[in-house]
Amino acid sequence: SEESRTVGEKKKEMAERHILRYNFWKALLERAKEKTKLHAQTSPQPSGSIVAGAGKSGLELKYSVTQHEARVELYIDRGKDSEKENKAIFDQLFSHKEEIERAFGESLIWERLDTKRACRISKQLVLGGYRDQEKWPEIHDQMIDAMIRLERALKPFIMKINI
């Protein structure tokens, strides 16, 4: 039937997306090991992101990818009932925005996300995503470089967080 054909096509598309993302992360992690130990203990996943701890509870350095874009970010979420803590951590970091962006080498996207529990500080990369296989080496290099710079720029300020 038309309905079962549509369901079958959806499942095939989902399986393909998961395989592509897994392979994207596998290649990125192998390449990253040459330059940083940050995600060295991370395994590839079929999901849209992979994370590593940023040195404080509830703070993660995260690689994210969509079909045609990628992002590196510091994700701030200490879990259930942590809205005030998350916003306070974000505000502490935001008070050093100029220093952090100077150390990073360019501007970042600062999202306090007042209607949500979590916050994030990110760099959007528009070179491509997991469906742009011919560009993977360039995308990976751009992501790894941005992640290394993000970690270096934020680390001194993360270590001073007293919440």
Side-chain angles (χ1 to χ4, degrees), residues 44-144:
Q45 304 290 325
S47 62
S49 62
I50 54 174
V51 300
K56 291 274 183 179
S57 171
L59 276 65
E60 297 175 329
L61 288 164
K62 182 187 280 193
Y63 286 113
S64 296
V65 69
T66 62
Q67 291 185 51
H68 301 290
E69 290 187 347
R71 179 175 70 226
V72 297
E73 68 185 44
L74 174 71
Y75 194 74
I76 304 165
D77 185 5
R78 290 205 160 162
K80 189 175 186 234
D81 300 322
S82 66
E83 292 86 353
K84 286 182 182 174
E85 271 182 71
N86 296 336
K87 303 310 176 203
I89 291 167
F90 178 89
D91 292 344
Q92 271 192 26
L93 294 170
F94 189 78
S95 72
H96 299 283
K97 179 180 188 258
E98 286 182 25
E99 297 161 84
I100 290 168
E101 289 183 342
R102 194 175 321 113
F104 183 72
E106 57 187 307
S107 62
L108 294 162
I109 302 166
W110 296 78
E111 296 175 282
R112 195 169 191 269
L113 303 173
D114 287 327
T115 61
K116 309 247 192 237
R117 181 176 76 199
C119 306
R120 92 171 129 238
I121 302 165
S122 65
K123 176 63 183 169
Q124 192 74 28
L125 307 167
V126 295
L127 180 62
Y130 70 85
R131 291 222 179 258
D132 303 300
Q133 287 180 268
E134 71 285 352
K135 295 182 186 175
W136 280 9
E138 294 169 84
I139 296 165
H140 291 154
D141 285 346
Q142 197 177 74
M143 291 176 80
I144 295 161

